[in-house]
Amino acid sequence: MLISVASGKGGTGKTLIATSLALALKDYNRVRILDCDVEEPNDQILLKPVITGEAPVNVLMPEINEAKCSHCGICARVCAYHAIVVLDKQVLTFPQLCHGCGACTYLCPEKAIKEVPRETGIVQWGNADQLSFAQGILTIGEAMTPPVIRQLKTCSTSDDIIIRDVPPGTSCPVVESVKGSDYCLLVTEPTPFGLNDLTLAVEMIKTLGIPCGVIINRSGKNDASLEEYCEKEGIPVLLKIPLDMDIARAYSLGTPMVKAQPQWKNRFRQLYENIQRTLIERNRYSQR
Amino acid sequence: MKEIVILSGKGGTGKTSIAASLAALADSKVIADCDVDAADLHLLLRPAVTEQHEFWSGHVAFIYTDKCTECGLCQEKCRFEAISQFTVDPVACEGCGFCARICPVNAITMHEVMSGHWFLSTTKYGSLVHARLGIAQENSGKLVALVRQQARELAKTQSTDFIICDGPPGIGCPVISSLSGADLALLVTEPTLSGIHDLKRIIDVCHHFAVPAMVCINKFDINEDNSRDIAAFCQNVNVPVAAKIPYHNSVTEAMVKGVPIVEYCHNELTEGVEQIWCRIQNTISN
């Protein structure tokens, strides 16, 4: 089972929830957590994993052999990202713009282009107690996160449950991280920003056709508009975590919620069972 | 005209609340919301939209099944795993056009994609340029660049002193697009270990793009030890701390009211925000 933990708005508690869900399940299943927020990976801060391996993330980019190049300009014309400029006697490439599609290399009539790897990040893996862990880290100054996320996603093979901690927002890094999930947990908070960004996240998840449920973090007396919205959209509110200074303080020190307040372990296990039931029912319904 | 961008690395540290307040405090400015995939600034500034424009950007491949001979070349060459069963997954397609160029029977065309909208609005506090990226769309960086360009043009015609940009979380494409060429980055952090980790990365990004940075420690009283660590770290890397702001319910209350916090109440917190604005003005005029 592959569960993504996402939210439109940043700082709603994705990392808090993804790590606690993983820790609550690890005694019963083989669980792996993947930190897909490769721009700002924070799961490591709470889980303190022992890193046992790492691999660079390379994107392929063109290298021009000027001796063979006739400066015909075809490579520049076929590049959709304007990553190549052909001058009279010289070809300039802009690595940060290149998506590594390979069109220039394939279409060069002189066979003057070779693709060479360029490192844009790393993927690391390891263990935190019996929990399998992996994260991607985007190199400072690099713009494109999807290649790092794509490679990170290949880290999970033999696990029963995979939990992906997704970056904030609703655009390409989020889509790349969520794609392929069986279920998506959307974390929100009872503020106007929380509601606004939840509606964007729900639209995105519906576009991808992934079933989802909501967790209200810092829940309190202002939950009504979130609950109303969820009811209107037919999305279950699966869990509420109260606004609690002890949880906030533990998080500030890098202590996972289920370690600070072990009573939450059961709630997270129930949450998982709830998701399991939903998926079984959904499956049965779609087979009919 | 000086461009100030508000960033944080970590999400949810208070960028938008602070950006809205700076927008209310600054006399002569254009406001830009560069968080195009989860924009919230409009909830505090309540804009009246005067112009709405479509944002056409990028392409997506389309296979004409009547022409397709199912040779499989496109599928084999696509690096984004966007083609299977001779159909294109528009979400996975990155619009490179490689498939369309190599299809031996010209069965593939590239369609332009409308990736969102951008808006020019008036608010009580001045003009606002904002945008909304289409659901599950790419090119957020390009849309941010467009928002900034429009804000600059507006600032020029209105001869304003400042552009105040509310930025997105993270350090990737839309952040780089919000940051590059700005005059100052205000980095809003919180005293959690995650906040500190993410602050260090966004400071590195600012250095990488040679944009001067300044830090605001928000909710500093959640963990005062961590706040001291942040201040010490900032001193080490020569990034000034503009203010330390306490945690306060009034932030959420102002949000519910839909007004910038400095217009909602006067307390320690709003004094902190005013202090930030003074520091920004002093730094920029030096």
Side-chain angles (χ1 to χ4, degrees):
Chain A
M1 163 116 58
L2 209 166
I3 302 171
S4 295
V5 182
S7 78
K9 181 167 159 35
T12 54
K14 287 179 295 300
T15 297
L16 178 89
I17 285 159
T19 51
S20 277
L21 180 61
L23 290 170
L25 297 175
K26 78 168 168 65
D27 297 337
Y28 302 86
N29 305 83
R30 275 183 304 175
V31 183
R32 181 182 291 271
I33 187 162
L34 294 183
D35 195 345
C36 295
D37 188 355
V38 303
E39 294 176 52
E40 297 291 14
N42 289 154
D43 290 358
Q44 50 166 340
I45 294 169
L46 284 95
L47 297 172
K48 302 167 186 72
V50 178
I51 299 296
T52 55
E54 69 172 52
V57 176
N58 293 314
V59 294
L60 292 173
M61 64 156 295
E63 187 178 82
I64 316 289
N65 180 344
E66 293 278 357
K68 281 188 182 177
C69 176
S70 66
H71 303 95
C72 69
I74 287 179
C75 54
R77 275 203 299 282
V78 302
C79 180
Y81 311 110
H82 311 291
I84 308 181
V85 172
V86 180
L87 307 173
D88 279 353
K89 290 195 175 87
Q90 197 191 355
V91 181
L92 303 177
T93 56
F94 297 90
Q96 255 88 358
L97 299 177
C98 174
H99 285 223
C101 72
C104 56
T105 308
Y106 187 83
L107 295 166
C108 172
E110 315 295 343
K111 298 273 165 272
I113 306 180
K114 188 172 86 180
E115 283 185 284
V116 292
R118 189 176 75 85
E119 191 176 316
T120 61
I122 57 169
V123 166
Q124 295 182 326
W125 53 89
N127 299 289
D129 291 331
Q130 296 102 49
L131 176 66
S132 302
F133 170 89
Q135 67 179 355
I137 306 174
L138 182 73
T139 303
I140 298 291
E142 290 293 336
M144 271 183 289
T145 53
V148 184
I149 300 168
R150 270 198 286 269
Q151 185 163 325
L152 173 65
K153 279 158 66 178
T154 63
C155 283
S156 46
T157 45
S158 62
D159 310 287
D160 302 327
I161 302 171
I162 298 156
I163 294 163
R164 289 188 193 154
D165 190 3
V166 175
T170 58
S171 64
C172 37
V174 180
V175 172
E176 190 63 58
S177 306
V178 169
K179 223 167 37 182
S181 307
D182 298 303
Y183 198 86
C184 184
L185 286 171
L186 295 172
V187 186
T188 187
E189 60 177 34
T191 65
F193 291 2
L195 174 61
N196 182 60
D197 297 351
L198 175 66
T199 61
L200 298 172
V202 165
E203 280 183 63
M204 184 238 356
I205 290 296
K206 288 197 166 168
T207 307
L208 297 175
I210 297 169
C212 64
V214 164
I215 296 181
I216 303 179
N217 190 18
R218 303 185 198 112
S219 158
K221 54 186 193 303
N222 297 320
D223 294 356
S225 44
L226 277 177
E227 285 170 331
E228 242 166 69
Y229 167 78
C230 290
E231 194 175 331
K232 193 185 86 206
E233 292 289 325
I235 300 166
V237 175
L238 298 173
L239 189 68
K240 289 185 180 183
I241 298 168
L243 178 63
D244 178 336
M245 274 309 173
D246 286 343
I247 297 174
R249 200 176 152 74
Y251 180 83
S252 80
L253 296 167
T255 307
M257 188 176 153
V258 291
K259 289 213 168 133
Q261 299 189 355
Q263 68 272 27
W264 282 94
K265 265 196 173 181
N266 260 330
R267 301 288 302 277
F268 277 104
R269 267 184 234 128
Q270 282 161 13
L271 170 74
Y272 174 70
E273 283 160 17
N274 216 336
I275 294 171
Q276 250 182 335
R277 265 197 304 278
T278 307
L279 290 177
I280 290 168
E281 268 165 41
R282 201 181 139 93
N283 213 2
R284 212 179 280 155
Y285 184 76
S286 66
Q287 278 169 1
R288 233 183 262 165
Chain B
M1 177 257 295
K2 301 286 181 188
E3 220 178 335
I4 296 147
V5 57
I6 294 124
L7 296 169
S8 66
K10 179 166 167 29
T13 56
K15 280 184 297 301
T16 303
S17 289
I18 288 173
S21 285
L22 296 183
L25 291 171
D27 284 329
S28 158
K29 77 275 154 174
V30 165
I31 311 151
D33 191 348
C34 290
D35 188 357
V36 297
D37 67 308
D40 287 329
L41 192 58
H42 63 281
L43 297 172
L44 298 180
L45 302 183
R46 298 171 171 267
V49 175
T50 53
E51 283 181 37
Q52 171 170 341
H53 299 271
E54 291 177 344
F55 170 61
W56 288 80
S57 169
H59 292 79
V60 66
F62 180 82
I63 303 178
Y64 289 97
T65 37
D66 51 336
K67 281 194 192 169
C68 175
T69 58
E70 304 195 349
C71 71
L73 183 65
C74 54
Q75 209 158 307
E76 180 198 322
K77 293 295 176 194
C78 176
R79 296 266 171 91
F80 310 109
E81 293 170 15
I83 305 179
S84 63
Q85 304 297 324
F86 314 105
T87 48
V88 177
D89 172 359
V91 173
C93 176
E94 295 196 12
C96 69
F98 193 6
C99 55
R101 290 186 189 276
I102 57 172
C103 174
V105 293
N106 291 322
I108 308 180
T109 57
M110 299 304 292
H111 290 177
E112 222 184 331
V113 185
M114 197 188 56
S115 310
H117 288 90
W118 62 273
F119 315 93
L120 289 182
S121 298
T122 52
T123 74
K124 189 181 154 192
Y125 314 97
S127 300
L128 170 69
V129 186
H130 49 134
R132 184 175 171 179
L133 190 71
I135 294 303
Q137 287 295 335
E138 293 185 25
N139 285 319
S140 59
K142 278 191 191 164
L143 185 52
V144 169
L146 179 65
V147 166
R148 281 185 69 195
Q149 182 204 329
Q150 291 297 328
R152 279 183 191 154
E153 280 171 23
L154 215 53
K156 215 179 275 171
T157 46
Q158 298 178 358
S159 349
T160 65
D161 297 337
F162 294 101
I163 296 174
I164 293 175
C165 299
D166 186 14
I171 62 158
C173 163
V175 171
I176 290 173
S177 198
S178 307
L179 177 71
S180 57
D183 296 286
L184 179 75
L186 175 68
L187 309 176
V188 183
T189 188
E190 60 176 34
T192 62
L193 293 184
S194 308
I196 298 171
H197 169 268
D198 297 358
L199 173 68
K200 288 179 179 171
R201 277 170 68 81
I202 189 71
I203 287 178
D204 285 346
V205 176
C206 290
H207 286 158
H208 185 95
F209 290 96
V211 176
M214 191 180 262
V215 166
C216 160
I217 308 174
N218 196 9
K219 310 173 207 167
F220 81 90
D221 45 351
I222 282 185
N223 188 324
E224 299 202 27
D225 292 339
N226 283 348
S227 290
R228 271 189 289 276
D229 289 348
I230 294 173
F233 170 78
C234 288
Q235 198 173 12
N236 263 337
V237 294
N238 269 327
V239 174
V241 175
K244 293 198 311 190
I245 300 182
Y247 175 83
H248 209 284
N249 285 335
S250 54
V251 175
T252 309
E253 289 162 19
M255 210 190 277
V256 171
K257 275 259 161 133
V259 291
I261 178 84
V262 290
E263 299 236 313
Y264 176 72
C265 58
H266 191 84
N267 55 25
E268 265 176 286
L269 192 153
T270 55
E271 278 165 20
V273 179
E274 283 160 14
Q275 189 185 331
I276 295 172
W277 181 235
C278 283
R279 292 289 294 271
I280 288 176
Q281 283 173 295
N282 289 339
T283 308
I284 277 197
S285 57
N286 290 335

